[in-house]
Each structure stands twice: as structure tokens, then as C-alpha cells.
Amino acid sequence: MSLEARVMELESRLAFQDDTIQALNDELVEQQRRIERLQLQLTALSRRMEEAQGQMGIAQDEAPPPHY
């Protein structure tokens, strides 16, 4: 294999690796956005649950009745 062919093969591999790294980075960014949205939703749901418990007069440390 000639030197020129080897250099072209390496350049081709490098370009493919660059594309793969960019695609992986884009997916990682999107996953981080999803995680942040889910964390916000979880926080909101937690607040709503605490508010609902407060409105119903249920203390958080209060154990459920024995028939549960």
C-alpha cells in the first residue's frame, strides 16, 4: 500500500470519526435537555403532591391506616 493510499485511508477514517463524534455529541445534548425537562416535571409534581396532601390534611410523617 502506497504512502498516498495510507494517508487517504487515514483521512477517510478521521472524517468518519469526526462525524460520529458530532452525532454522539448532538444526542448527548438532547438527552441532557430531556433530563432537565424531566427534573422540572418531577419537581412540579412533587410540589403538587405536597399541596394536595396539605389540602387534605395529611401529614407527611403520618403512616397510612392499618387496613392499607
Side-chain angles (χ1 to χ4, degrees):
M1 190 174 214
S2 72
L3 180 60
E4 185 177 332
R6 290 176 62 191
V7 169
M8 288 179 61
E9 175 68 24
L10 289 173
E11 287 176 346
S12 174
R13 286 185 182 191
L14 178 61
F16 178 75
Q17 288 176 352
D18 285 344
D19 289 343
T20 302
I21 289 169
Q22 186 61 47
L24 290 171
N25 186 55
D26 293 344
E27 186 61 32
L28 186 61
V29 168
E30 181 58 32
Q31 285 182 354
Q32 185 60 38
R33 287 183 188 141
R34 287 181 196 145
I35 289 170
E36 289 170 358
R37 279 194 307 262
L38 288 171
Q39 287 174 330
L40 290 173
Q41 289 175 349
L42 181 60
T43 301
L45 286 172
S46 179
R47 275 193 218 120
R48 287 178 61 190
M49 191 170 121
E50 288 173 4
E51 289 171 4
Q53 287 176 343
Q55 290 174 355
M56 293 176 23
I58 300 172
Q60 287 201 347
D61 335 337
E62 189 176 314
H67 63 277
Y68 270 20

